[in-house]
Amino acid sequence: MSDTNPLQAGDDETGALIETDALIIGAGPCGLFAVFELGLLDIKSHVVDILDKVGGQCAELYPEKPIYDIPALPVVTGQELTDRLMEQIKPFGPTFHLGQRIDALSRETDGRFRLTTDRGQVFVAKVVVIAAGGGSFTPKRPPLEGIEAYEGASVFYSVRRMKDFADQDVLIVGGGDSALDWTLNLQPIARSLTLLHRRDDFRGAPHSVDKMRALVASGAMRLLIGQATALHGADGRLERVTVKTKEGEEQVACTRMLPFFGLTMKLGPVADWGLNLEENLIPVDTEKFETSVPGIFAIGDINAYPGKLKLILSGFHEAALMSQAAHRIVYPDKKLLFQYTTSSSSLQKKLGVR
Amino acid sequence: MVKITFVQEDGTRQEVEAQPGLTVMEAAKTEDVPGIEAECGGACACATCHVYVEPEWREAVGPPSEMEEDMLDFAFDVREESRLSCQIRISEKLDGLVVKVPSKQF
Ligand SMILES: Cc1cc2nc3c(=O)[nH]c(=O)nc-3n(C[C@H](O)[C@H](O)[C@H](O)COP(=O)(O)OP(=O)(O)OC[C@H]3O[C@@H](n4cnc5c(N)ncnc54)[C@H](O)[C@@H]3O)c2cc1C
Ligand code: FES
């Protein structure tokens, strides 16, 4: 698992409303393959993901690990599978909106769907494909008592505005790239900065580690080896953190804390869109993979139906059938001809191989 | 079969029988041992199968690999005796193994 910061990327939006045939929520393997199946049927897609990269679980949780059950690929790593899907969908020119979460979904009077991201980007789409997997990737919250009370005022899981950290006593916790990068970025503006990690070994890029160690050597910041065990403060304002070290306990005075413990999947806003849910999954039929709302489909790990297996290959199949149903909505007057990519010259033209 | 005991924070002990070749995480999940979440199914990608190996068993169990050490960074209250149970393979020499389940997984 890498600990990329999901909230850093994606500031490239112009803010103008985007109209599209299909809006795909989630750029995991199933969302990516949906671009392909929809594309073959002339349905254009925009794809939104809270992560700053595509590939969902495969890219975030196990990029280097092998997958053995993708048909015709005896072994492929999570990242390789993602790269290959990106290559396969290239002819269809999908637009990606990364680092953004779809927060709201509602219906327009003309029957289309209106979706809004946490950054205020608005989409209007004829069909919605929810490929949200296990939910939005969300930073892990350390199980420290009462931490919720400090969130948003003293405890942050990402840096949105650097100035929130200016002239503060900052405590950064973790040993990966996010912890190191923010240590280096915030050290010049913070009043004091302490990096806390459980061991004197870092997963982050070696040159960042070197820079951090140089700052420590020059006395510009502090590196503390240990683990946070309790937070102290009042009214949401953090004052100090108890840290367990090899030598015993220590109190670290701080007004800002940035814990970086990786990401976990939380259902998130999907629960607020008025769809039927069963145990955090979206029930669908097995003909169209449509939800309780016509025009909104759900594929991949997020859906549920009798016999469902949470496997990538199931999601691929679901994408193909979903696309047939989406075609009826996007092109109500067009008759759909069943064709093979091997032999259809029109499909091959779309794929750019002819 | 090999016997493995899981001790909870409150002292409750649960003894399970496990097939050599499985992992300690799999042995725990098969018997629904509370507190072993194993969200990633044993891929060393989640750190929610964290356990503490009892002192007398630490040598037999051995130390974590580098990949496991990295993943332990994502666990809570990591100690010298911390291991990810999905990375401990059960063998006859671990018959009688005792591990503690932490009060919290992340
Ligand atoms: C360690 C591990 C090993 C695995 N091994 C295999 C294997 O060998 N074979 C196999 O078939 N499967 C395997 N899986 C399962 C496989 O990874 C999943 O089935 C697959 O990733 C599901 O794809 P998906 O596209 O449905 O969702 P995901 O990959 O979960 O992607 C969903 C994406 O949607 C985003 N998202 C959710 N909600 C929102 C929102 N509101 N706004 C914006 N973005 C949102 C999330 O951030 C995420 O990136 C494994 C899983 C793990 C963790
Ligand atoms: S089960 Fe996920 S790391 Fe062990």
mmCIF file with all atom_site columns, all heavy atoms in Angstrom, chain B residues 15-34:
data_model
loop_
_atom_site.group_PDB
_atom_site.id
_atom_site.type_symbol
_atom_site.label_atom_id
_atom_site.label_alt_id
_atom_site.label_comp_id
_atom_site.label_asym_id
_atom_site.label_entity_id
_atom_site.label_seq_id
_atom_site.pdbx_PDB_ins_code
_atom_site.Cartn_x
_atom_site.Cartn_y
_atom_site.Cartn_z
_atom_site.occupancy
_atom_site.B_iso_or_equiv
_atom_site.pdbx_formal_charge
_atom_site.auth_seq_id
_atom_site.auth_comp_id
_atom_site.auth_asym_id
_atom_site.auth_atom_id
_atom_site.pdbx_PDB_model_num
ATOM 1   N N   . GLU B 1 15 ? -8.443  -21.360 21.772 1.00 0.00 ? 15 GLU B N   1
ATOM 2   C CA  . GLU B 1 15 ? -7.486  -22.267 21.163 1.00 0.00 ? 15 GLU B CA  1
ATOM 3   C C   . GLU B 1 15 ? -8.062  -22.793 19.862 1.00 0.00 ? 15 GLU B C   1
ATOM 4   O O   . GLU B 1 15 ? -9.213  -23.229 19.835 1.00 0.00 ? 15 GLU B O   1
ATOM 5   C CB  . GLU B 1 15 ? -7.231  -23.428 22.130 1.00 0.00 ? 15 GLU B CB  1
ATOM 6   C CG  . GLU B 1 15 ? -5.970  -24.183 21.830 1.00 0.00 ? 15 GLU B CG  1
ATOM 7   C CD  . GLU B 1 15 ? -5.759  -25.313 22.837 1.00 0.00 ? 15 GLU B CD  1
ATOM 8   O OE1 . GLU B 1 15 ? -5.150  -25.052 23.890 1.00 0.00 ? 15 GLU B OE1 1
ATOM 9   O OE2 . GLU B 1 15 ? -6.224  -26.432 22.574 1.00 0.00 ? 15 GLU B OE2 1
ATOM 10  N N   . VAL B 1 16 ? -7.294  -22.712 18.796 1.00 0.00 ? 16 VAL B N   1
ATOM 11  C CA  . VAL B 1 16 ? -7.793  -23.239 17.529 1.00 0.00 ? 16 VAL B CA  1
ATOM 12  C C   . VAL B 1 16 ? -6.825  -24.287 16.992 1.00 0.00 ? 16 VAL B C   1
ATOM 13  O O   . VAL B 1 16 ? -5.634  -24.272 17.291 1.00 0.00 ? 16 VAL B O   1
ATOM 14  C CB  . VAL B 1 16 ? -8.014  -22.122 16.470 1.00 0.00 ? 16 VAL B CB  1
ATOM 15  C CG1 . VAL B 1 16 ? -8.810  -20.969 17.037 1.00 0.00 ? 16 VAL B CG1 1
ATOM 16  C CG2 . VAL B 1 16 ? -6.699  -21.609 15.926 1.00 0.00 ? 16 VAL B CG2 1
ATOM 17  N N   . GLU B 1 17 ? -7.376  -25.203 16.193 1.00 0.00 ? 17 GLU B N   1
ATOM 18  C CA  . GLU B 1 17 ? -6.548  -26.223 15.544 1.00 0.00 ? 17 GLU B CA  1
ATOM 19  C C   . GLU B 1 17 ? -6.357  -25.789 14.109 1.00 0.00 ? 17 GLU B C   1
ATOM 20  O O   . GLU B 1 17 ? -7.312  -25.374 13.449 1.00 0.00 ? 17 GLU B O   1
ATOM 21  C CB  . GLU B 1 17 ? -7.297  -27.563 15.540 1.00 0.00 ? 17 GLU B CB  1
ATOM 22  C CG  . GLU B 1 17 ? -7.596  -28.093 16.919 1.00 0.00 ? 17 GLU B CG  1
ATOM 23  C CD  . GLU B 1 17 ? -6.811  -29.367 17.185 1.00 0.00 ? 17 GLU B CD  1
ATOM 24  O OE1 . GLU B 1 17 ? -6.593  -30.111 16.222 1.00 0.00 ? 17 GLU B OE1 1
ATOM 25  O OE2 . GLU B 1 17 ? -6.414  -29.586 18.340 1.00 0.00 ? 17 GLU B OE2 1
ATOM 26  N N   . ALA B 1 18 ? -5.132  -25.855 13.637 1.00 0.00 ? 18 ALA B N   1
ATOM 27  C CA  . ALA B 1 18 ? -4.903  -25.397 12.275 1.00 0.00 ? 18 ALA B CA  1
ATOM 28  C C   . ALA B 1 18 ? -4.008  -26.346 11.500 1.00 0.00 ? 18 ALA B C   1
ATOM 29  O O   . ALA B 1 18 ? -3.164  -27.038 12.064 1.00 0.00 ? 18 ALA B O   1
ATOM 30  C CB  . ALA B 1 18 ? -4.279  -24.003 12.293 1.00 0.00 ? 18 ALA B CB  1
ATOM 31  N N   . GLN B 1 19 ? -4.228  -26.344 10.212 1.00 0.00 ? 19 GLN B N   1
ATOM 32  C CA  . GLN B 1 19 ? -3.477  -27.167 9.274  1.00 0.00 ? 19 GLN B CA  1
ATOM 33  C C   . GLN B 1 19 ? -2.125  -26.507 9.004  1.00 0.00 ? 19 GLN B C   1
ATOM 34  O O   . GLN B 1 19 ? -2.084  -25.330 8.649  1.00 0.00 ? 19 GLN B O   1
ATOM 35  C CB  . GLN B 1 19 ? -4.285  -27.180 7.976  1.00 0.00 ? 19 GLN B CB  1
ATOM 36  C CG  . GLN B 1 19 ? -3.886  -28.212 6.983  1.00 0.00 ? 19 GLN B CG  1
ATOM 37  C CD  . GLN B 1 19 ? -4.535  -29.550 7.283  1.00 0.00 ? 19 GLN B CD  1
ATOM 38  O OE1 . GLN B 1 19 ? -5.731  -29.609 7.522  1.00 0.00 ? 19 GLN B OE1 1
ATOM 39  N NE2 . GLN B 1 19 ? -3.743  -30.597 7.295  1.00 0.00 ? 19 GLN B NE2 1
ATOM 40  N N   . PRO B 1 20 ? -1.009  -27.245 9.151  1.00 0.00 ? 20 PRO B N   1
ATOM 41  C CA  . PRO B 1 20 ? 0.272   -26.656 8.745  1.00 0.00 ? 20 PRO B CA  1
ATOM 42  C C   . PRO B 1 20 ? 0.189   -26.215 7.288  1.00 0.00 ? 20 PRO B C   1
ATOM 43  O O   . PRO B 1 20 ? -0.491  -26.856 6.480  1.00 0.00 ? 20 PRO B O   1
ATOM 44  C CB  . PRO B 1 20 ? 1.264   -27.810 8.901  1.00 0.00 ? 20 PRO B CB  1
ATOM 45  C CG  . PRO B 1 20 ? 0.627   -28.751 9.871  1.00 0.00 ? 20 PRO B CG  1
ATOM 46  C CD  . PRO B 1 20 ? -0.857  -28.623 9.666  1.00 0.00 ? 20 PRO B CD  1
ATOM 47  N N   . GLY B 1 21 ? 0.838   -25.122 6.972  1.00 0.00 ? 21 GLY B N   1
ATOM 48  C CA  . GLY B 1 21 ? 0.800   -24.609 5.594  1.00 0.00 ? 21 GLY B CA  1
ATOM 49  C C   . GLY B 1 21 ? -0.107  -23.405 5.482  1.00 0.00 ? 21 GLY B C   1
ATOM 50  O O   . GLY B 1 21 ? 0.093   -22.545 4.642  1.00 0.00 ? 21 GLY B O   1
ATOM 51  N N   . LEU B 1 22 ? -1.154  -23.361 6.344  1.00 0.00 ? 22 LEU B N   1
ATOM 52  C CA  . LEU B 1 22 ? -1.997  -22.161 6.381  1.00 0.00 ? 22 LEU B CA  1
ATOM 53  C C   . LEU B 1 22 ? -1.236  -21.051 7.104  1.00 0.00 ? 22 LEU B C   1
ATOM 54  O O   . LEU B 1 22 ? -0.173  -21.283 7.673  1.00 0.00 ? 22 LEU B O   1
ATOM 55  C CB  . LEU B 1 22 ? -3.301  -22.434 7.138  1.00 0.00 ? 22 LEU B CB  1
ATOM 56  C CG  . LEU B 1 22 ? -4.287  -23.410 6.504  1.00 0.00 ? 22 LEU B CG  1
ATOM 57  C CD1 . LEU B 1 22 ? -5.534  -23.517 7.366  1.00 0.00 ? 22 LEU B CD1 1
ATOM 58  C CD2 . LEU B 1 22 ? -4.645  -22.972 5.090  1.00 0.00 ? 22 LEU B CD2 1
ATOM 59  N N   . THR B 1 23 ? -1.810  -19.860 7.131  1.00 0.00 ? 23 THR B N   1
ATOM 60  C CA  . THR B 1 23 ? -1.192  -18.788 7.912  1.00 0.00 ? 23 THR B CA  1
ATOM 61  C C   . THR B 1 23 ? -1.971  -18.635 9.218  1.00 0.00 ? 23 THR B C   1
ATOM 62  O O   . THR B 1 23 ? -3.108  -19.101 9.337  1.00 0.00 ? 23 THR B O   1
ATOM 63  C CB  . THR B 1 23 ? -1.211  -17.447 7.167  1.00 0.00 ? 23 THR B CB  1
ATOM 64  O OG1 . THR B 1 23 ? -2.563  -17.021 7.030  1.00 0.00 ? 23 THR B OG1 1
ATOM 65  C CG2 . THR B 1 23 ? -0.559  -17.552 5.806  1.00 0.00 ? 23 THR B CG2 1
ATOM 66  N N   . VAL B 1 24 ? -1.352  -17.953 10.181 1.00 0.00 ? 24 VAL B N   1
ATOM 67  C CA  . VAL B 1 24 ? -2.003  -17.733 11.473 1.00 0.00 ? 24 VAL B CA  1
ATOM 68  C C   . VAL B 1 24 ? -3.277  -16.906 11.268 1.00 0.00 ? 24 VAL B C   1
ATOM 69  O O   . VAL B 1 24 ? -4.300  -17.131 11.913 1.00 0.00 ? 24 VAL B O   1
ATOM 70  C CB  . VAL B 1 24 ? -1.028  -17.056 12.462 1.00 0.00 ? 24 VAL B CB  1
ATOM 71  C CG1 . VAL B 1 24 ? -1.741  -16.614 13.728 1.00 0.00 ? 24 VAL B CG1 1
ATOM 72  C CG2 . VAL B 1 24 ? 0.112   -18.009 12.800 1.00 0.00 ? 24 VAL B CG2 1
ATOM 73  N N   . MET B 1 25 ? -3.243  -15.954 10.308 1.00 0.00 ? 25 MET B N   1
ATOM 74  C CA  . MET B 1 25 ? -4.441  -15.170 10.000 1.00 0.00 ? 25 MET B CA  1
ATOM 75  C C   . MET B 1 25 ? -5.563  -16.089 9.525  1.00 0.00 ? 25 MET B C   1
ATOM 76  O O   . MET B 1 25 ? -6.698  -15.984 9.978  1.00 0.00 ? 25 MET B O   1
ATOM 77  C CB  . MET B 1 25 ? -4.104  -14.116 8.932  1.00 0.00 ? 25 MET B CB  1
ATOM 78  C CG  . MET B 1 25 ? -5.253  -13.240 8.480  1.00 0.00 ? 25 MET B CG  1
ATOM 79  S SD  . MET B 1 25 ? -6.358  -13.979 7.256  1.00 0.00 ? 25 MET B SD  1
ATOM 80  C CE  . MET B 1 25 ? -5.451  -13.759 5.747  1.00 0.00 ? 25 MET B CE  1
ATOM 81  N N   . GLU B 1 26 ? -5.243  -17.010 8.605  1.00 0.00 ? 26 GLU B N   1
ATOM 82  C CA  . GLU B 1 26 ? -6.275  -17.918 8.083  1.00 0.00 ? 26 GLU B CA  1
ATOM 83  C C   . GLU B 1 26 ? -6.848  -18.787 9.190  1.00 0.00 ? 26 GLU B C   1
ATOM 84  O O   . GLU B 1 26 ? -8.063  -19.028 9.246  1.00 0.00 ? 26 GLU B O   1
ATOM 85  C CB  . GLU B 1 26 ? -5.704  -18.768 6.936  1.00 0.00 ? 26 GLU B CB  1
ATOM 86  C CG  . GLU B 1 26 ? -5.469  -17.944 5.672  1.00 0.00 ? 26 GLU B CG  1
ATOM 87  C CD  . GLU B 1 26 ? -4.620  -18.666 4.616  1.00 0.00 ? 26 GLU B CD  1
ATOM 88  O OE1 . GLU B 1 26 ? -3.688  -19.421 4.974  1.00 0.00 ? 26 GLU B OE1 1
ATOM 89  O OE2 . GLU B 1 26 ? -4.896  -18.456 3.435  1.00 0.00 ? 26 GLU B OE2 1
ATOM 90  N N   . ALA B 1 27 ? -5.976  -19.236 10.098 1.00 0.00 ? 27 ALA B N   1
ATOM 91  C CA  . ALA B 1 27 ? -6.444  -20.045 11.223 1.00 0.00 ? 27 ALA B CA  1
ATOM 92  C C   . ALA B 1 27 ? -7.425  -19.227 12.070 1.00 0.00 ? 27 ALA B C   1
ATOM 93  O O   . ALA B 1 27 ? -8.463  -19.733 12.513 1.00 0.00 ? 27 ALA B O   1
ATOM 94  C CB  . ALA B 1 27 ? -5.259  -20.489 12.075 1.00 0.00 ? 27 ALA B CB  1
ATOM 95  N N   . ALA B 1 28 ? -7.128  -17.948 12.276 1.00 0.00 ? 28 ALA B N   1
ATOM 96  C CA  . ALA B 1 28 ? -7.992  -17.085 13.080 1.00 0.00 ? 28 ALA B CA  1
ATOM 97  C C   . ALA B 1 28 ? -9.330  -16.840 12.378 1.00 0.00 ? 28 ALA B C   1
ATOM 98  O O   . ALA B 1 28 ? -10.396 -16.914 12.986 1.00 0.00 ? 28 ALA B O   1
ATOM 99  C CB  . ALA B 1 28 ? -7.295  -15.750 13.352 1.00 0.00 ? 28 ALA B CB  1
ATOM 100 N N   . LYS B 1 29 ? -9.276  -16.562 11.081 1.00 0.00 ? 29 LYS B N   1
ATOM 101 C CA  . LYS B 1 29 ? -10.506 -16.273 10.339 1.00 0.00 ? 29 LYS B CA  1
ATOM 102 C C   . LYS B 1 29 ? -11.414 -17.496 10.263 1.00 0.00 ? 29 LYS B C   1
ATOM 103 O O   . LYS B 1 29 ? -12.632 -17.378 10.378 1.00 0.00 ? 29 LYS B O   1
ATOM 104 C CB  . LYS B 1 29 ? -10.183 -15.797 8.908  1.00 0.00 ? 29 LYS B CB  1
ATOM 105 C CG  . LYS B 1 29 ? -9.541  -14.434 8.810  1.00 0.00 ? 29 LYS B CG  1
ATOM 106 C CD  . LYS B 1 29 ? -10.349 -13.338 9.470  1.00 0.00 ? 29 LYS B CD  1
ATOM 107 C CE  . LYS B 1 29 ? -11.367 -12.682 8.568  1.00 0.00 ? 29 LYS B CE  1
ATOM 108 N NZ  . LYS B 1 29 ? -12.051 -11.558 9.282  1.00 0.00 ? 29 LYS B NZ  1
ATOM 109 N N   . THR B 1 30 ? -10.830 -18.677 10.085 1.00 0.00 ? 30 THR B N   1
ATOM 110 C CA  . THR B 1 30 ? -11.643 -19.899 9.990  1.00 0.00 ? 30 THR B CA  1
ATOM 111 C C   . THR B 1 30 ? -12.441 -20.103 11.267 1.00 0.00 ? 30 THR B C   1
ATOM 112 O O   . THR B 1 30 ? -13.560 -20.588 11.236 1.00 0.00 ? 30 THR B O   1
ATOM 113 C CB  . THR B 1 30 ? -10.735 -21.134 9.753  1.00 0.00 ? 30 THR B CB  1
ATOM 114 O OG1 . THR B 1 30 ? -9.674  -20.743 8.904  1.00 0.00 ? 30 THR B OG1 1
ATOM 115 C CG2 . THR B 1 30 ? -11.483 -22.282 9.147  1.00 0.00 ? 30 THR B CG2 1
ATOM 116 N N   . GLU B 1 31 ? -11.859 -19.719 12.406 1.00 0.00 ? 31 GLU B N   1
ATOM 117 C CA  . GLU B 1 31 ? -12.540 -19.915 13.687 1.00 0.00 ? 31 GLU B CA  1
ATOM 118 C C   . GLU B 1 31 ? -13.151 -18.614 14.214 1.00 0.00 ? 31 GLU B C   1
ATOM 119 O O   . GLU B 1 31 ? -13.521 -18.531 15.390 1.00 0.00 ? 31 GLU B O   1
ATOM 120 C CB  . GLU B 1 31 ? -11.561 -20.476 14.724 1.00 0.00 ? 31 GLU B CB  1
ATOM 121 C CG  . GLU B 1 31 ? -10.986 -21.831 14.362 1.00 0.00 ? 31 GLU B CG  1
ATOM 122 C CD  . GLU B 1 31 ? -12.038 -22.938 14.348 1.00 0.00 ? 31 GLU B CD  1
ATOM 123 O OE1 . GLU B 1 31 ? -12.982 -22.867 15.169 1.00 0.00 ? 31 GLU B OE1 1
ATOM 124 O OE2 . GLU B 1 31 ? -11.905 -23.859 13.524 1.00 0.00 ? 31 GLU B OE2 1
ATOM 125 N N   . ASP B 1 32 ? -13.261 -17.590 13.345 1.00 0.00 ? 32 ASP B N   1
ATOM 126 C CA  . ASP B 1 32 ? -13.876 -16.309 13.737 1.00 0.00 ? 32 ASP B CA  1
ATOM 127 C C   . ASP B 1 32 ? -13.269 -15.702 14.998 1.00 0.00 ? 32 ASP B C   1
ATOM 128 O O   . ASP B 1 32 ? -13.993 -15.227 15.867 1.00 0.00 ? 32 ASP B O   1
ATOM 129 C CB  . ASP B 1 32 ? -15.388 -16.470 13.947 1.00 0.00 ? 32 ASP B CB  1
ATOM 130 C CG  . ASP B 1 32 ? -16.100 -16.744 12.636 1.00 0.00 ? 32 ASP B CG  1
ATOM 131 O OD1 . ASP B 1 32 ? -15.705 -16.112 11.636 1.00 0.00 ? 32 ASP B OD1 1
ATOM 132 O OD2 . ASP B 1 32 ? -17.013 -17.589 12.619 1.00 0.00 ? 32 ASP B OD2 1
ATOM 133 N N   . VAL B 1 33 ? -11.964 -15.737 15.118 1.00 0.00 ? 33 VAL B N   1
ATOM 134 C CA  . VAL B 1 33 ? -11.325 -15.091 16.269 1.00 0.00 ? 33 VAL B CA  1
ATOM 135 C C   . VAL B 1 33 ? -11.567 -13.580 16.179 1.00 0.00 ? 33 VAL B C   1
ATOM 136 O O   . VAL B 1 33 ? -11.251 -12.967 15.163 1.00 0.00 ? 33 VAL B O   1
ATOM 137 C CB  . VAL B 1 33 ? -9.805  -15.394 16.291 1.00 0.00 ? 33 VAL B CB  1
ATOM 138 C CG1 . VAL B 1 33 ? -9.106  -14.592 17.375 1.00 0.00 ? 33 VAL B CG1 1
ATOM 139 C CG2 . VAL B 1 33 ? -9.561  -16.883 16.453 1.00 0.00 ? 33 VAL B CG2 1
ATOM 140 N N   . PRO B 1 34 ? -12.156 -12.976 17.222 1.00 0.00 ? 34 PRO B N   1
ATOM 141 C CA  . PRO B 1 34 ? -12.430 -11.539 17.156 1.00 0.00 ? 34 PRO B CA  1
ATOM 142 C C   . PRO B 1 34 ? -11.138 -10.729 17.091 1.00 0.00 ? 34 PRO B C   1
ATOM 143 O O   . PRO B 1 34 ? -10.111 -11.150 17.634 1.00 0.00 ? 34 PRO B O   1
ATOM 144 C CB  . PRO B 1 34 ? -13.171 -11.232 18.470 1.00 0.00 ? 34 PRO B CB  1
ATOM 145 C CG  . PRO B 1 34 ? -13.439 -12.540 19.124 1.00 0.00 ? 34 PRO B CG  1
ATOM 146 C CD  . PRO B 1 34 ? -12.550 -13.571 18.508 1.00 0.00 ? 34 PRO B CD  1
#
